[in-house]
Amino acid sequence: MATLIIHTNVLNFEQSKTLERKFGKLTAVQNHFRAEVETAPTHEELSQLREELLLDINVLPANFDADAIKLVISDMDSTLISIECIDEIADFINVKPQVAAITEAAMRGELNFEQSLTQRVSLLKGLDQSALQHVYDERLTLNPGAEIWIDGLKANGIKFALVSGGFTFFTERLQKRLGIDFTRANTLSISDGKLDGTVVDGIIGAKAKADFLIELCDQMEILMSQTIAVGDGANDLMMMQEAGLSVAYHAKPKVQEQADTALNYRGLDAILDFIA
Ligand SMILES: [Mg+2]
């Protein structure tokens, strides 16, 4: 048996007809629907159905125990928030095209994340640190459902960790604003109020994200199976593979293919459906 989750509380006639024909009786649970099925649909069947019905539909992994979840870890840029911070910072000194070119080279696999971050940060050298505050105040917006999501986790006694290949300047402000339990990101080196074009200590890339999850599990004395990891990019995959449940949030195709579950229509609050 497998549990199917349909992340909506309203289904139109066409949607419910199609879903019931395929999966049998649907049950309303809090603000979504579920179905218990003998055989779980394949990845291909599921993605076809999502596109046909314009709905987020997921299958819970067979061994997933929602009641045991104690920690959710999330990426920041394009996951918790709607922007890529470094692109917006670069825009302040008109080097956005150069930064974007490096990002694309990394996406083509010509550079790894660490190399691409080093190169992009070097383009920010000399920038006044007040630009960071401008990006935070004027351009950084939470993705839909972010606050409901984090409040919902708190109400269920689940800790929340924010990890980012971006910068502590932003994770620390979001930590205060949203009451986030744990954060880790890159620290921009600043002297005399200006960016040096480097980051302090090691770079938070794919492995460091996964290591942070492992470290938090040790600290909290919980198992990896008691965690959920959420991300949108290739450098989130390593941490997502470690977690008990992985969620690709409005993610790159490669990430969606490898994650346990995907959300492409609903906001972050739909992640609460997994622990309902
Ligand atoms: Mg991201």
Side-chain angles (χ1 to χ4, degrees), residues 196-247:
D196 285 348
T198 59
V199 297
V200 180
D201 301 332
I203 290 172
I204 307 300
K207 183 166 186 306
K209 285 183 167 186
D211 288 346
F212 186 43
L213 173 59
I214 294 165
E215 190 185 310
L216 289 173
C217 284
D218 282 349
Q219 191 183 319
M220 291 174 65
E221 299 181 338
I222 59 169
L223 302 169
M224 300 299 285
S225 60
Q226 294 177 277
T227 67
I228 297 175
V230 187
D232 75 297
N235 69 329
D236 298 317
L237 279 171
M238 206 184 280
M239 111 181 145
M240 289 166 73
Q241 277 153 9
E242 296 284 352
L245 180 78
S246 56
V247 183

Side-chain angles (χ1 to χ4, degrees), residues 82-147:
S82 66
I83 58 164
E84 295 285 328
C85 287
I86 193 159
D87 289 356
E88 301 305 322
I89 301 167
D91 201 25
F92 267 84
I93 43 170
N94 300 316
V95 293
K96 200 171 179 177
Q98 291 93 313
V99 165
I102 298 169
T103 307
E104 277 161 33
M107 280 174 177
R108 288 194 302 269
E110 294 165 17
L111 299 170
N112 65 27
F113 181 80
E114 285 76 3
Q115 291 165 325
S116 84
L117 187 81
T118 304
Q119 290 190 16
R120 286 180 290 170
V121 170
S122 73
L123 289 168
L124 306 178
K125 187 175 179 180
L127 179 69
D128 199 282
Q129 67 167 331
S130 63
L132 303 178
Q133 189 66 43
H134 281 292
V135 169
Y136 183 79
D137 291 339
E138 294 157 24
R139 302 202 182 178
L140 186 150
T141 49
L142 299 174
N143 266 330
E147 282 161 310

Side-chain angles (χ1 to χ4, degrees), residues 75-80 83-84 209 231-233 235-236 252:
D75 169 52
M76 179 173 71
D77 290 5
S78 301
T79 301
L80 182 66
I83 58 164
E84 295 285 328
K209 285 183 167 186
D232 75 297
N235 69 329
D236 298 317
K252 311 276 182 303

Side-chain angles (χ1 to χ4, degrees), residues 173-192:
R173 277 158 182 78
L174 289 169
Q175 179 167 33
K176 276 206 193 98
R177 173 165 155 197
L178 300 170
I180 292 171
D181 299 291
F182 313 102
T183 64
R184 183 161 293 170
N186 296 299
T187 306
L188 285 165
S189 174
I190 295 173
S191 21
D192 298 330

